[in-house]
Amino acid sequence: MACTRLILLGPPGSGKGTQAKRLSDTLKTAHVSTGDMLREARAAGTELGRKAGECMDAGRLVPDAVVIGLVAERLRKPDCEPGFVLDGFPRTVAQAEALDAAGVGVNCVIDIDVADEEVVSRLGGRRSCPQCGRVYHVEVAPSKDGTHCDGCGAGLVTRPDDVEDTIRARLKVYHEKTAPLAAYYRGKGLLKTVESVGGPDAVFGKVLNAIGAR
Ligand SMILES: [Zn+2]
């Protein structure tokens, strides 16, 4: 069975978003990122977007009803017909059950595994461009002058959700609410675990192996 309807699980900072993007490019399926969807709603200044923004800044999960509505609408769009890579959803067993109840058949779940301290060092060093959205890292991928965006010249900022206390809060939420998802999908025989070590290329190779795409 081809893995075309995928879920990527992993804590913040696991490189899940990067892997999801590469995977959807390779498989020619849609990359459905709930983080991007919520940021767009927030930028648009809708009531829903404002609520989501408050939760994200505080390291809390956005309420199920909000996210489920957005995702169900997104997965009905034509670009999801060949398949999709879900990134950032589901985050709780209740959301996974809602996905099943909505008739969304998933045939593969990849869990990207990474230690907490590694997450803190990866995310705490992140600097973002408030103008074009490009992301840098003070050690791994600094901008040319270290403080401004190479692309558009805007001053780089630490996003509220990349502050250490917020990262630790997000990890705590992740372990409490999201980790049981692994057990849920293991029980369905869909779960494959990939260690996030060796950089994005190495991890991508492991992901492709895990889904039998090479
Ligand atoms: Zn920029």
Side-chain angles (χ1 to χ4, degrees), residues 148-187:
H148 295 84
C149 178
D150 293 342
C152 71
L156 300 178
V157 299
T158 303
R159 282 204 325 224
D161 52 357
D162 291 336
V163 172
E164 180 167 343
D165 285 352
T166 309
I167 297 167
R168 294 200 184 273
R170 289 162 75 196
L171 282 170
K172 188 163 181 281
V173 170
Y174 178 79
H175 290 305
E176 283 171 4
K177 297 244 173 94
T178 313
L181 273 177
Y184 178 81
Y185 286 119
R186 191 178 294 116

Side-chain angles (χ1 to χ4, degrees), residues 87-164:
D87 167 14
F89 185 93
R91 290 197 174 195
T92 63
V93 171
Q95 289 181 349
E97 285 167 351
L99 207 56
D100 290 344
V104 177
V106 166
N107 50 29
C108 209
V109 180
I110 309 274
D111 182 23
I112 301 181
D113 197 25
V114 53
D116 283 6
E117 289 313 309
E118 174 70 15
V119 169
V120 171
S121 98
R122 284 184 193 181
L123 292 188
R126 260 190 352 187
R127 300 294 178 267
S128 307
C129 175
Q131 200 158 297
C132 72
R134 245 175 104 168
V135 179
Y136 301 85
H137 190 282
V138 291
E139 283 159 26
V140 183
S143 71
K144 289 204 181 79
D145 74 355
T147 51
H148 295 84
C149 178
D150 293 342
C152 71
L156 300 178
V157 299
T158 303
R159 282 204 325 224
D161 52 357
D162 291 336
V163 172
E164 180 167 343

Side-chain angles (χ1 to χ4, degrees), residues 12-28:
S14 61
K16 178 166 56 76
T18 305
Q19 297 299 328
K21 221 168 277 170
R22 290 179 71 166
L23 199 50
S24 59
D25 285 348
T26 299
L27 300 174
K28 295 183 174 32

Side-chain angles (χ1 to χ4, degrees), residues 9 20 23 36-37 41 48 70 73 99 141 177 191:
L9 302 179
L23 199 50
D36 288 350
M37 286 161 60
L48 191 148
L70 281 170
E73 194 179 276
L99 207 56
K177 297 244 173 94
L191 190 78

